[in-house]
Amino acid sequence: MTKEKKCEDLVNDNYQSRLNDLRETYNNDNIDLASWLCEYGLSWDYVLPNTFDNQQQGYYRWQLSWGGPSDEFRIYTDHAKNIQSVEYWYLDWFDGAFITVDDEEVINIIHWQLEVDKFPHEYEEEVA
C-alpha cells in the first residue's frame, strides 16, 4: 500500500515549478509581463485580518490555482506596502504547507503588483 504524500512533502517541488515559470517569464524581454500576469493564476486580492481562524494579520494573496490541490503566495506587508515576508503555500483538503520565499524574480513581480494595488487600510476601510 502506497502512503499518500502530505503537502509538506510536495510544497518544495511545486514551488520550484512555479519559480521556473516566473523566472522564465520575468527574464524574457519578448513577453509583456503585465499581460502575462493577468492570465497567470486566478486572482490577486487582499485577505482581511481575522478572515480565517487564528489569522490576526491581513495579507495580499496571489492565488495561482484552486481546488485540491491549490497553491498561492501570501504577501505580508506593513500599511505602506513594504514587504515583511512572502510565503508560498501548497494546500490540499485539510492539509497545507508553506515555504518562505526570497527569490529575486518573485519578489520583483510582487513589488510590481503591489504598486498598482490599494493599501491594506483601504481594504479595511471598505468593510468598516
Side-chain angles (χ1 to χ4, degrees), residues 65-82:
S65 66
W66 174 250
S70 64
D71 66 329
E72 63 190 34
F73 288 98
R74 295 181 184 179
I75 302 98
Y76 295 91
T77 68
D78 62 16
H79 279 294
K81 295 196 283 188
N82 297 307

Side-chain angles (χ1 to χ4, degrees), residues 19-80:
L19 179 59
N20 288 339
D21 288 347
L22 295 171
R23 278 185 173 156
E24 184 177 308
T25 302
Y26 184 78
N27 293 310
N28 186 337
D29 293 334
N30 296 320
I31 294 176
D32 177 19
L33 185 61
S35 296
W36 184 83
L37 286 172
C38 289
E39 296 177 15
Y40 189 79
L42 300 177
S43 70
W44 172 274
D45 58 358
Y46 185 76
V47 178
L48 292 168
N50 303 307
T51 298
F52 303 108
D53 291 339
N54 300 317
Q55 179 238 330
Q56 296 179 359
Q57 185 179 1
Y59 59 88
Y60 291 92
R61 173 178 53 194
W62 183 13
Q63 192 172 35
L64 304 174
S65 66
W66 174 250
S70 64
D71 66 329
E72 63 190 34
F73 288 98
R74 295 181 184 179
I75 302 98
Y76 295 91
T77 68
D78 62 16
H79 279 294

Side-chain angles (χ1 to χ4, degrees), residues 9-25:
D9 303 318
L10 301 169
V11 65
N12 285 316
D13 287 344
N14 282 281
Y15 173 69
Q16 289 304 315
S17 176
R18 291 295 188 181
L19 179 59
N20 288 339
D21 288 347
L22 295 171
R23 278 185 173 156
E24 184 177 308
T25 302

